[in-house]
Amino acid sequence: RYARNLLPKDKGGSSDPYAEVHVPGQRSVKTKVRKKTLNPEWNESFTFKGKLGDFLRGPMLVSLFDHDVMAKDDDLGSVSLDLGPLATKEELDFGEVEIPEPFRGAVAVTASFRALGVHSQKRLSTSSSVAGAPAGAGPSGGISRRISFAKRRPAARSAAGTPAAAAGPSRTSGATPML
């Protein structure tokens, strides 16, 4: 959805930030670059297809970078988010997650899982989340993942406070993370 209070990496005390999102078993995706800001708002969503069990095999990694035209992009930090609760929840709102030192700032991410198969019994909101389908979903299912960044919120939460849930049976559906 958004990031706040990022490190300035460019002359003039700003950055040109973008986020790169990696989900287990999927290609990484990138948001658009936001020019000359330390508090970017992306409001972008991405869709990933696959089985819920595949998404639960590891964390979602959100890495932030400062875009540079003539040099390698500068690292602005990253956060690792546990997708385990998707085994029992349709939507995860991580709130603001602090970016660990030596970097600074916070990033807000919401994820939902939504069934895409015709035979699925569950369906999740596609607004800003990652979701999945129940056991028995048809082979046409997939995981749609949406990530977006929205308006800033004042409070911050740690990713470590997110309870982990046991991975359930393999599900074919859609997951959508929102940055």
Side-chain angles (χ1 to χ4, degrees), residues 35-127:
K35 299 284 187 180
K36 298 182 181 184
T37 182
L38 301 178
N39 301 296
E41 292 185 18
W42 286 279
N43 292 316
E44 294 184 35
S45 299
F46 303 99
T47 299
F48 302 97
K49 293 183 179 181
K51 293 181 180 178
L52 179 60
D54 294 339
F55 290 99
L56 300 179
R57 288 194 177 132
M60 173 173 65
L61 182 64
V62 179
S63 302
L64 303 173
F65 297 94
D66 169 51
H67 176 72
D68 289 323
V69 176
M70 300 302 284
K72 182 179 176 188
D73 292 350
D74 298 309
D75 190 1
L76 294 173
S78 63
V79 297
S80 179
L81 304 169
D82 180 19
L83 297 177
L86 287 178
T88 58
K89 290 181 168 184
E90 292 179 337
E91 184 170 317
L92 298 175
D93 184 353
F94 294 99
E96 284 191 5
V97 181
E98 294 295 323
I99 299 168
E101 292 184 5
F103 304 99
R104 74 168 196 212
V107 62
V109 179
T110 304
S112 68
F113 185 75
R114 147 179 97 105
L116 299 178
V118 176
H119 303 295
S120 63
Q121 301 164 2
K122 272 187 174 180
R123 192 172 174 166
L124 182 64
S125 167
T126 60
S127 61

Coordinates of all heavy atoms in Angstrom, one line a residue, residues 35-127:
K35 N 8.8 9.2 -7.8 CA 9.9 10.2 -7.9 C 9.9 11.1 -6.7 O 8.9 11.6 -6.2 CB 9.8 11.0 -9.2 CG 9.9 10.2 -10.4 CD 11.3 9.8 -10.7 CE 11.4 9.2 -12.1 NZ 12.7 8.8 -12.4
K36 N 11.2 11.3 -6.2 CA 11.5 12.4 -5.2 C 10.6 12.3 -4.0 O 9.9 13.3 -3.7 CB 11.5 13.7 -5.8 CG 12.6 13.8 -6.9 CD 12.6 15.2 -7.5 CE 13.7 15.2 -8.6 NZ 13.9 16.5 -9.2
T37 N 10.5 11.2 -3.3 CA 9.7 11.1 -2.1 C 10.3 10.1 -1.1 O 11.0 9.1 -1.5 CB 8.2 10.7 -2.4 OG1 7.5 10.7 -1.2 CG2 8.2 9.4 -3.1
L38 N 10.1 10.3 0.2 CA 10.5 9.4 1.2 C 9.2 8.7 1.8 O 9.4 7.8 2.6 CB 11.3 10.1 2.3 CG 12.5 10.8 1.9 CD1 13.2 11.5 3.1 CD2 13.5 9.8 1.2
N39 N 8.1 9.1 1.2 CA 6.8 8.5 1.7 C 5.9 8.1 0.5 O 4.9 8.7 0.3 CB 6.1 9.6 2.6 CG 6.9 10.0 3.8 OD1 7.2 9.2 4.6 ND2 7.3 11.2 3.8
P40 N 6.4 7.1 -0.3 CA 5.6 6.8 -1.5 C 4.3 6.1 -1.2 O 4.1 5.3 -0.2 CB 6.6 5.8 -2.2 CG 7.3 5.2 -1.1 CD 7.5 6.3 0.0
E41 N 3.3 6.3 -2.1 CA 2.1 5.6 -2.1 C 2.0 4.9 -3.4 O 2.0 5.6 -4.5 CB 0.9 6.5 -1.8 CG 0.9 7.1 -0.4 CD -0.3 8.0 -0.1 OE1 -1.3 7.8 -0.8 OE2 -0.2 8.7 0.8
W42 N 1.8 3.6 -3.5 CA 1.8 2.9 -4.7 C 0.3 2.5 -5.2 O 0.0 2.6 -6.3 CB 2.6 1.6 -4.7 CG 4.1 1.9 -4.7 CD1 4.8 2.1 -5.8 CD2 5.0 1.9 -3.6 NE1 6.1 2.3 -5.5 CE2 6.3 2.2 -4.1 CE3 4.8 1.7 -2.2 CZ2 7.4 2.3 -3.3 CZ3 5.9 1.8 -1.4 CH2 7.2 2.1 -2.0
N43 N -0.5 2.0 -4.3 CA -1.8 1.6 -4.6 C -1.8 0.7 -5.8 O -2.6 0.9 -6.8 CB -2.8 2.8 -4.9 CG -3.0 3.6 -3.6 OD1 -3.2 3.0 -2.5 ND2 -2.9 4.9 -3.7
E44 N -1.0 -0.3 -5.8 CA -0.9 -1.3 -6.9 C -1.2 -2.7 -6.4 O -0.9 -3.0 -5.2 CB 0.5 -1.3 -7.5 CG 0.9 0.0 -8.2 CD 2.2 0.0 -8.8 OE1 2.6 -1.1 -9.3 OE2 2.9 1.0 -8.8
S45 N -1.7 -3.5 -7.3 CA -2.0 -4.9 -6.9 C -1.4 -5.8 -7.9 O -1.2 -5.5 -9.1 CB -3.5 -5.1 -7.0 OG -4.1 -4.3 -6.0
F46 N -1.0 -7.0 -7.5 CA -0.4 -8.0 -8.3 C -1.1 -9.3 -8.1 O -1.5 -9.6 -7.0 CB 1.1 -8.2 -8.0 CG 1.9 -6.9 -8.2 CD1 2.2 -6.1 -7.0 CD2 2.2 -6.4 -9.4 CE1 2.8 -4.9 -7.2 CE2 2.9 -5.2 -9.5 CZ 3.2 -4.5 -8.4
T47 N -1.2 -10.2 -9.1 CA -1.8 -11.5 -9.0 C -0.8 -12.6 -9.3 O -0.1 -12.5 -10.2 CB -3.0 -11.5 -10.0 OG1 -4.0 -10.5 -9.6 CG2 -3.7 -12.9 -9.9
F48 N -0.8 -13.6 -8.4 CA 0.0 -14.8 -8.6 C -0.9 -16.0 -8.5 O -1.8 -16.1 -7.7 CB 1.0 -14.9 -7.4 CG 1.9 -13.7 -7.3 CD1 1.6 -12.7 -6.3 CD2 3.0 -13.6 -8.0 CE1 2.5 -11.6 -6.2 CE2 3.9 -12.5 -7.9 CZ 3.6 -11.5 -7.0
K49 N -0.7 -16.9 -9.4 CA -1.5 -18.1 -9.5 C -0.7 -19.3 -9.0 O 0.5 -19.4 -9.2 CB -2.0 -18.4 -10.9 CG -2.9 -17.3 -11.4 CD -3.4 -17.6 -12.8 CE -4.4 -16.5 -13.2 NZ -5.0 -16.8 -14.5
G50 N -1.4 -20.2 -8.3 CA -0.8 -21.4 -7.7 C -1.6 -22.0 -6.6 O -2.7 -21.6 -6.4
K51 N -1.0 -23.0 -6.0 CA -1.7 -23.7 -4.8 C -1.4 -23.0 -3.5 O -0.2 -22.5 -3.3 CB -1.3 -25.1 -4.8 CG -1.7 -26.0 -5.9 CD -1.3 -27.4 -5.8 CE -1.7 -28.2 -7.0 NZ -1.3 -29.6 -6.9
L52 N -2.3 -22.9 -2.6 CA -2.1 -22.3 -1.4 C -0.9 -22.8 -0.6 O -0.1 -22.1 -0.1 CB -3.4 -22.4 -0.5 CG -3.3 -21.8 0.9 CD1 -3.0 -20.3 0.8 CD2 -4.5 -22.0 1.7
G53 N -0.8 -24.2 -0.7 CA 0.4 -24.8 0.0 C 1.7 -24.2 -0.5 O 2.7 -24.1 0.3
D54 N 1.8 -23.9 -1.8 CA 3.0 -23.4 -2.3 C 3.3 -22.0 -1.7 O 4.5 -21.6 -1.4 CB 3.0 -23.3 -3.8 CG 2.9 -24.6 -4.5 OD1 3.3 -25.6 -3.9 OD2 2.4 -24.7 -5.6
F55 N 2.3 -21.2 -1.5 CA 2.5 -19.9 -0.9 C 2.9 -19.9 0.5 O 3.5 -19.0 1.1 CB 1.2 -19.0 -1.1 CG 0.9 -18.6 -2.5 CD1 0.0 -19.4 -3.3 CD2 1.6 -17.6 -3.1 CE1 -0.2 -19.0 -4.6 CE2 1.3 -17.2 -4.4 CZ 0.4 -18.0 -5.1
L56 N 2.5 -21.0 1.2 CA 2.8 -21.1 2.6 C 4.1 -21.7 2.9 O 4.6 -21.8 4.1 CB 1.7 -22.0 3.3 CG 0.3 -21.5 3.2 CD1 -0.7 -22.5 3.8 CD2 0.1 -20.1 3.8
R57 N 4.9 -22.1 1.9 CA 6.2 -22.7 2.1 C 7.3 -21.7 2.6 O 8.3 -22.1 3.0 CB 6.7 -23.3 0.8 CG 5.9 -24.6 0.5 CD 6.5 -25.4 -0.5 NE 5.7 -26.6 -0.7 CZ 5.3 -27.1 -1.8 NH1 5.6 -26.5 -2.9 NH2 4.6 -28.2 -1.8
G58 N 7.0 -20.4 2.4 CA 8.0 -19.4 2.9 C 7.3 -18.1 3.0 O 6.2 -17.9 2.6
P59 N 8.1 -17.1 3.5 CA 7.5 -15.8 3.6 C 7.4 -15.0 2.3 O 8.1 -15.3 1.3 CB 8.5 -15.1 4.6 CG 9.8 -15.8 4.3 CD 9.4 -17.2 3.9
M60 N 6.6 -14.0 2.3 CA 6.6 -13.0 1.2 C 7.6 -12.0 1.6 O 7.7 -11.5 2.7 CB 5.2 -12.4 1.1 CG 5.1 -11.2 0.1 SD 3.5 -10.6 -0.2 CE 3.1 -9.9 1.4
L61 N 8.5 -11.7 0.6 CA 9.5 -10.7 0.8 C 9.2 -9.4 0.1 O 9.0 -9.5 -1.1 CB 10.9 -11.3 0.4 CG 12.1 -10.4 0.6 CD1 12.4 -10.1 2.1 CD2 13.3 -11.0 0.0
V62 N 9.2 -8.3 0.8 CA 9.0 -7.0 0.2 C 10.3 -6.2 0.3 O 10.7 -5.9 1.4 CB 7.8 -6.2 0.8 CG1 7.6 -4.9 0.2 CG2 6.5 -7.0 0.7
S63 N 10.9 -5.9 -0.8 CA 12.2 -5.2 -0.8 C 12.0 -3.8 -1.4 O 11.3 -3.7 -2.4 CB 13.3 -6.0 -1.6 OG 13.4 -7.3 -1.1
L64 N 12.6 -2.8 -0.8 CA 12.5 -1.5 -1.3 C 13.8 -1.0 -1.9 O 14.8 -1.3 -1.3 CB 12.0 -0.5 -0.2 CG 10.7 -1.0 0.5 CD1 10.5 -0.1 1.7 CD2 9.6 -0.9 -0.5
F65 N 13.7 -0.3 -3.0 CA 14.9 0.2 -3.7 C 14.7 1.7 -4.1 O 13.6 2.1 -4.4 CB 15.2 -0.6 -4.9 CG 15.5 -2.1 -4.6 CD1 14.5 -3.0 -4.6 CD2 16.8 -2.4 -4.3 CE1 14.8 -4.3 -4.4 CE2 17.1 -3.8 -4.0 CZ 16.1 -4.7 -4.0
D66 N 15.8 2.4 -4.2 CA 15.8 3.7 -4.8 C 16.3 3.6 -6.3 O 17.4 3.1 -6.5 CB 16.8 4.6 -4.1 CG 17.1 5.9 -4.8 OD1 16.1 6.6 -5.2 OD2 18.3 6.3 -5.0
H67 N 15.5 4.0 -7.2 CA 15.8 3.8 -8.6 C 16.8 4.9 -9.0 O 16.7 6.0 -8.7 CB 14.5 4.1 -9.5 CG 14.8 4.0 -10.9 ND1 15.1 2.9 -11.6 CD2 14.8 5.0 -11.8 CE1 15.3 3.2 -12.9 NE2 15.1 4.5 -13.1
D68 N 17.9 4.4 -9.7 CA 18.9 5.2 -10.2 C 19.1 5.0 -11.7 O 19.1 3.8 -12.2 CB 20.3 5.0 -9.5 CG 20.3 5.5 -8.1 OD1 19.7 6.5 -7.8 OD2 20.9 4.8 -7.2
V69 N 19.2 6.0 -12.5 CA 19.3 5.9 -14.0 C 20.7 5.4 -14.4 O 20.8 4.5 -15.2 CB 18.9 7.2 -14.7 CG1 19.1 7.1 -16.2 CG2 17.5 7.6 -14.3
M70 N 21.7 6.0 -13.8 CA 23.1 5.8 -14.3 C 23.8 4.8 -13.4 O 25.0 4.5 -13.7 CB 23.8 7.1 -14.4 CG 23.2 8.1 -15.3 SD 23.0 7.5 -17.0 CE 24.7 7.6 -17.6
A71 N 23.3 4.3 -12.4 CA 24.0 3.4 -11.5 C 23.1 2.3 -11.0 O 21.9 2.3 -11.3 CB 24.5 4.2 -10.3
K72 N 23.6 1.4 -10.2 CA 22.8 0.3 -9.6 C 21.8 0.9 -8.6 O 22.2 1.8 -7.9 CB 23.7 -0.7 -8.9 CG 23.0 -1.9 -8.3 CD 24.0 -2.8 -7.7 CE 23.2 -4.0 -7.0 NZ 24.0 -4.8 -6.2
D73 N 20.6 0.4 -8.6 CA 19.6 0.9 -7.7 C 20.1 0.6 -6.2 O 20.7 -0.4 -5.9 CB 18.3 0.2 -7.9 CG 17.6 0.6 -9.2 OD1 18.1 1.5 -9.9 OD2 16.6 -0.1 -9.6
D74 N 19.8 1.6 -5.4 CA 20.2 1.6 -4.0 C 19.2 0.8 -3.1 O 18.0 1.0 -3.3 CB 20.3 3.0 -3.4 CG 21.4 3.8 -4.1 OD1 22.5 3.3 -4.2 OD2 21.1 4.9 -4.5
D75 N 19.7 0.0 -2.2 CA 18.8 -0.8 -1.3 C 18.2 0.1 -0.2 O 19.0 0.9 0.4 CB 19.7 -1.9 -0.7 CG 18.8 -2.9 0.1 OD1 17.6 -2.8 0.2 OD2 19.5 -3.8 0.7
L76 N 16.9 0.1 0.0 CA 16.3 0.8 1.0 C 15.7 -0.1 2.2 O 15.1 0.4 3.1 CB 15.1 1.7 0.4 CG 15.5 2.8 -0.5 CD1 14.2 3.4 -1.2 CD2 16.3 3.8 0.2
G77 N 16.0 -1.4 2.1 CA 15.6 -2.3 3.1 C 14.6 -3.2 2.6 O 14.0 -3.1 1.5
S78 N 14.2 -4.2 3.5 CA 13.2 -5.2 3.1 C 12.6 -5.7 4.4 O 13.1 -5.6 5.5 CB 13.8 -6.3 2.3 OG 14.8 -7.0 3.1
V79 N 11.4 -6.3 4.2 CA 10.7 -7.0 5.3 C 10.2 -8.3 4.8 O 9.9 -8.5 3.6 CB 9.4 -6.2 5.8 CG1 9.9 -4.8 6.4 CG2 8.4 -5.9 4.7
S80 N 10.2 -9.3 5.7 CA 9.8 -10.7 5.4 C 8.4 -10.9 6.2 O 8.4 -10.6 7.4 CB 10.8 -11.6 5.9 OG 10.4 -12.9 5.7
L81 N 7.4 -11.3 5.4 CA 6.1 -11.4 6.0 C 5.6 -12.8 6.0 O 5.6 -13.5 4.9 CB 5.1 -10.5 5.3 CG 5.5 -9.0 5.3 CD1 4.6 -8.2 4.3 CD2 5.4 -8.4 6.7
D82 N 5.2 -13.4 7.1 CA 4.7 -14.7 7.2 C 3.3 -14.9 6.6 O 2.3 -14.2 7.0 CB 4.6 -15.1 8.7 CG 4.2 -16.5 8.9 OD1 4.2 -17.4 8.0 OD2 3.7 -16.8 10.1
L83 N 3.2 -15.7 5.6 CA 1.9 -16.0 5.0 C 1.1 -17.2 5.6 O 0.0 -17.5 5.1 CB 2.1 -16.2 3.5 CG 2.7 -15.1 2.7 CD1 2.9 -15.5 1.2 CD2 1.8 -13.9 2.8
G84 N 1.7 -17.8 6.6 CA 1.1 -18.9 7.3 C -0.4 -18.8 7.7 O -1.2 -19.7 7.5
P85 N -0.8 -17.6 8.2 CA -2.2 -17.4 8.6 C -3.2 -17.6 7.4 O -4.4 -17.7 7.7 CB -2.2 -16.0 9.2 CG -0.8 -15.8 9.7 CD 0.1 -16.5 8.7
L86 N -2.7 -17.5 6.2 CA -3.6 -17.7 5.1 C -4.2 -19.2 5.1 O -5.2 -19.4 4.4 CB -2.9 -17.5 3.7 CG -2.6 -16.0 3.4 CD1 -1.9 -15.9 2.1 CD2 -3.9 -15.2 3.4
A87 N -3.6 -20.1 5.8 CA -4.2 -21.4 5.9 C -5.6 -21.4 6.6 O -6.4 -22.2 6.4 CB -3.2 -22.3 6.7
T88 N -5.8 -20.4 7.4 CA -7.1 -20.3 8.2 C -7.8 -19.0 8.0 O -8.9 -18.8 8.4 CB -6.8 -20.5 9.7 OG1 -5.9 -19.5 10.2 CG2 -6.3 -21.9 10.0
K89 N -7.1 -18.0 7.4 CA -7.7 -16.7 7.2 C -7.8 -16.3 5.7 O -6.9 -16.8 4.9 CB -6.9 -15.6 7.9 CG -6.9 -15.6 9.3 CD -6.1 -14.4 9.8 CE -6.3 -14.1 11.3 NZ -5.5 -12.9 11.7
E90 N -8.7 -15.5 5.3 CA -8.8 -15.1 3.9 C -8.0 -13.8 3.7 O -7.6 -13.5 2.5 CB -10.2 -14.9 3.5 CG -11.0 -16.2 3.4 CD -12.4 -16.1 3.0 OE1 -13.0 -15.0 3.2 OE2 -13.0 -17.0 2.5
E91 N -7.8 -13.0 4.7 CA -7.2 -11.7 4.5 C -6.2 -11.4 5.6 O -6.5 -11.8 6.8 CB -8.3 -10.6 4.5 CG -7.7 -9.2 4.2 CD -8.7 -8.2 3.9 OE1 -9.7 -8.5 3.2 OE2 -8.6 -7.1 4.5
L92 N -5.1 -10.9 5.3 CA -4.1 -10.5 6.3 C -3.8 -9.0 6.1 O -3.4 -8.6 5.0 CB -2.8 -11.3 6.0 CG -2.8 -12.8 6.2 CD1 -1.5 -13.4 5.8 CD2 -3.2 -13.1 7.6
D93 N -3.9 -8.2 7.1 CA -3.5 -6.8 7.1 C -2.3 -6.7 8.0 O -2.4 -6.8 9.3 CB -4.6 -5.9 7.6 CG -4.2 -4.4 7.5 OD1 -3.0 -4.1 7.2 OD2 -5.1 -3.6 7.7
F94 N -1.1 -6.6 7.5 CA 0.1 -6.5 8.3 C 0.3 -5.2 8.9 O 1.2 -5.0 9.8 CB 1.4 -6.9 7.4 CG 1.4 -8.3 6.9 CD1 0.9 -8.6 5.6 CD2 1.8 -9.3 7.7 CE1 0.9 -9.9 5.2 CE2 1.8 -10.6 7.3 CZ 1.4 -10.9 6.0
G95 N -0.5 -4.2 8.6 CA -0.3 -2.9 9.1 C 1.0 -2.3 8.6 O 1.5 -2.6 7.6
E96 N 1.6 -1.4 9.5 CA 2.9 -0.9 9.1 C 4.0 -1.8 9.8 O 4.0 -1.9 11.0 CB 3.0 0.6 9.6 CG 2.3 1.6 8.8 CD 2.7 3.0 9.1 OE1 3.6 3.2 10.0 OE2 2.1 3.9 8.6
V97 N 4.9 -2.3 9.0 CA 5.9 -3.1 9.4 C 7.2 -2.4 9.3 O 7.6 -1.9 8.3 CB 6.0 -4.4 8.6 CG1 7.1 -5.3 9.1 CG2 4.7 -5.2 8.6
E98 N 7.9 -2.2 10.5 CA 9.2 -1.5 10.5 C 10.2 -2.2 9.7 O 10.4 -3.4 9.7 CB 9.7 -1.3 12.0 CG 8.7 -0.5 12.8 CD 8.7 1.0 12.4 OE1 9.7 1.5 11.9 OE2 7.6 1.6 12.5
I99 N 11.0 -1.4 8.9 CA 12.1 -1.9 8.1 C 13.3 -2.0 9.1 O 13.7 -1.0 9.7 CB 12.4 -1.0 6.9 CG1 11.2 -0.9 6.0 CG2 13.6 -1.4 6.2 CD1 11.2 0.2 5.0
P100 N 13.9 -3.2 9.2 CA 15.0 -3.3 10.1 C 16.3 -2.5 9.8 O 16.5 -2.2 8.6 CB 15.4 -4.8 10.0 CG 14.3 -5.5 9.2 CD 13.6 -4.4 8.5
E101 N 17.1 -2.2 10.8 CA 18.3 -1.5 10.7 C 19.3 -2.3 9.8 O 19.2 -3.5 9.8 CB 19.0 -1.2 12.0 CG 18.2 -0.2 12.8 CD 18.8 0.1 14.2 OE1 20.0 -0.3 14.4 OE2 18.2 0.8 15.0
P102 N 20.2 -1.7 9.1 CA 20.6 -0.3 9.1 C 19.7 0.6 8.4 O 20.1 1.8 8.2 CB 22.0 -0.4 8.5 CG 21.9 -1.5 7.5 CD 20.9 -2.5 8.1
F103 N 18.6 0.2 7.9 CA 17.7 1.0 7.2 C 16.7 1.7 8.1 O 16.8 1.5 9.3 CB 17.0 0.2 6.1 CG 17.9 -0.5 5.2 CD1 18.3 -1.8 5.3 CD2 18.6 0.3 4.1 CE1 19.2 -2.4 4.5 CE2 19.5 -0.4 3.3 CZ 19.8 -1.7 3.5
R104 N 15.7 2.4 7.6 CA 14.7 3.0 8.4 C 13.4 3.1 7.7 O 13.3 2.9 6.4 CB 15.1 4.4 8.9 CG 15.0 5.4 7.9 CD 15.2 6.8 8.5 NE 14.7 7.8 7.5 CZ 15.2 9.0 7.4 NH1 16.2 9.4 8.2 NH2 14.8 9.8 6.5
G105 N 12.3 3.4 8.4 CA 11.0 3.5 7.8 C 10.1 2.3 8.1 O 10.5 1.5 8.9
A106 N 9.0 2.3 7.4 CA 8.0 1.2 7.5 C 7.3 1.1 6.2 O 7.3 2.0 5.4 CB 7.0 1.6 8.6
V107 N 6.8 -0.1 6.0 CA 6.0 -0.5 4.8 C 4.7 -1.1 5.3 O 4.6 -1.8 6.2 CB 6.8 -1.4 3.9 CG1 7.1 -2.7 4.5 CG2 6.1 -1.6 2.6
A108 N 3.6 -0.7 4.6 CA 2.3 -1.3 4.9 C 1.8 -2.2 3.7 O 1.9 -1.8 2.6 CB 1.3 -0.2 5.1
V109 N 1.4 -3.4 4.1 CA 1.1 -4.4 3.1 C -0.2 -5.1 3.6 O -0.4 -5.4 4.8 CB 2.2 -5.5 2.9 CG1 1.8 -6.5 1.9 CG2 3.5 -4.8 2.5
T110 N -1.1 -5.4 2.7 CA -2.3 -6.2 2.9 C -2.3 -7.4 1.9 O -1.9 -7.2 0.8 CB -3.6 -5.4 2.7 OG1 -3.5 -4.2 3.5 CG2 -4.8 -6.2 3.1
A111 N -2.7 -8.6 2.3 CA -2.7 -9.7 1.4 C -4.0 -10.4 1.6 O -4.5 -10.5 2.7 CB -1.5 -10.6 1.7
S112 N -4.5 -11.0 0.5 CA -5.8 -11.8 0.6 C -5.6 -13.0 -0.4 O -4.8 -12.9 -1.3 CB -7.0 -10.9 0.2 OG -6.9 -10.6 -1.2
F113 N -6.4 -14.0 -0.1 CA -6.4 -15.2 -0.9 C -7.8 -15.4 -1.4 O -8.7 -15.4 -0.7 CB -5.9 -16.4 -0.1 CG -5.7 -17.6 -0.9 CD1 -4.6 -17.8 -1.7 CD2 -6.7 -18.6 -0.8 CE1 -4.5 -18.9 -2.5 CE2 -6.5 -19.8 -1.5 CZ -5.4 -19.9 -2.4
R114 N -7.9 -15.6 -2.7 CA -9.2 -15.8 -3.3 C -9.2 -17.0 -4.2 O -8.3 -17.2 -5.0 CB -9.5 -14.5 -4.0 CG -10.4 -14.5 -5.2 CD -10.6 -13.1 -5.7 NE -9.6 -12.8 -6.8 CZ -9.9 -12.8 -8.0 NH1 -11.2 -13.0 -8.4 NH2 -9.0 -12.5 -8.9
A115 N -10.3 -17.8 -4.1 CA -10.4 -18.9 -4.9 C -10.7 -18.5 -6.3 O -11.6 -17.7 -6.6 CB -11.6 -19.8 -4.4
L116 N -10.1 -19.2 -7.3 CA -10.3 -18.9 -8.7 C -11.0 -20.0 -9.4 O -11.5 -19.9 -10.5 CB -9.0 -18.6 -9.4 CG -8.2 -17.4 -8.9 CD1 -6.9 -17.2 -9.6 CD2 -9.0 -16.1 -9.0
G117 N -11.0 -21.2 -8.8 CA -11.5 -22.4 -9.4 C -13.1 -22.4 -9.4 O -13.7 -21.8 -8.6
V118 N -13.7 -23.0 -10.4 CA -15.1 -23.1 -10.5 C -15.7 -23.8 -9.4 O -16.8 -23.5 -8.9 CB -15.5 -23.8 -11.8 CG1 -17.0 -24.0 -12.0 CG2 -14.9 -23.0 -13.0
H119 N -15.0 -24.8 -8.8 CA -15.6 -25.7 -7.8 C -15.2 -25.2 -6.4 O -15.5 -25.8 -5.4 CB -15.1 -27.1 -7.9 CG -15.5 -27.7 -9.2 ND1 -16.7 -27.9 -9.6 CD2 -14.7 -28.1 -10.3 CE1 -16.7 -28.4 -10.9 NE2 -15.5 -28.5 -11.3
S120 N -14.6 -24.0 -6.2 CA -14.2 -23.6 -4.9 C -15.4 -23.1 -4.1 O -16.4 -22.7 -4.6 CB -13.2 -22.4 -5.1 OG -13.8 -21.3 -5.7
Q121 N -15.2 -23.2 -2.8 CA -16.3 -22.9 -1.8 C -16.0 -21.6 -1.1 O -16.8 -21.0 -0.5 CB -16.4 -24.0 -0.8 CG -16.7 -25.3 -1.4 CD -16.5 -26.5 -0.4 OE1 -16.1 -26.2 0.7 NE2 -16.7 -27.7 -0.9
K122 N -14.7 -21.1 -1.2 CA -14.4 -19.8 -0.6 C -14.1 -18.8 -1.6 O -13.6 -19.0 -2.7 CB -13.1 -20.0 0.2 CG -13.2 -20.5 1.6 CD -11.9 -20.5 2.3 CE -11.9 -20.8 3.7 NZ -10.6 -20.8 4.3
R123 N -14.3 -17.5 -1.2 CA -14.0 -16.4 -2.1 C -13.5 -15.3 -1.2 O -14.1 -15.0 -0.2 CB -15.2 -16.0 -2.9 CG -14.8 -15.1 -4.0 CD -15.9 -14.8 -4.9 NE -15.4 -13.8 -5.8 CZ -15.9 -13.5 -6.9 NH1 -17.0 -14.1 -7.3 NH2 -15.4 -12.5 -7.6
L124 N -12.5 -14.5 -1.6 CA -11.9 -13.5 -0.8 C -12.0 -12.1 -1.5 O -12.0 -12.1 -2.7 CB -10.5 -13.8 -0.4 CG -9.8 -12.8 0.4 CD1 -10.5 -12.7 1.8 CD2 -8.4 -13.1 0.6
S125 N -12.0 -11.1 -0.8 CA -12.0 -9.7 -1.3 C -10.7 -9.5 -2.2 O -9.6 -10.0 -1.8 CB -12.0 -8.7 -0.2 OG -11.7 -7.5 -0.7
T126 N -10.8 -8.8 -3.3 CA -9.7 -8.5 -4.1 C -9.1 -7.1 -3.9 O -8.3 -6.7 -4.6 CB -10.1 -8.7 -5.6 OG1 -11.1 -7.8 -5.9 CG2 -10.5 -10.1 -5.9
S127 N -9.6 -6.4 -2.9 CA -9.2 -5.0 -2.8 C -7.7 -4.9 -2.4 O -7.0 -4.1 -2.9 CB -10.1 -4.3 -1.7 OG -10.0 -5.0 -0.5

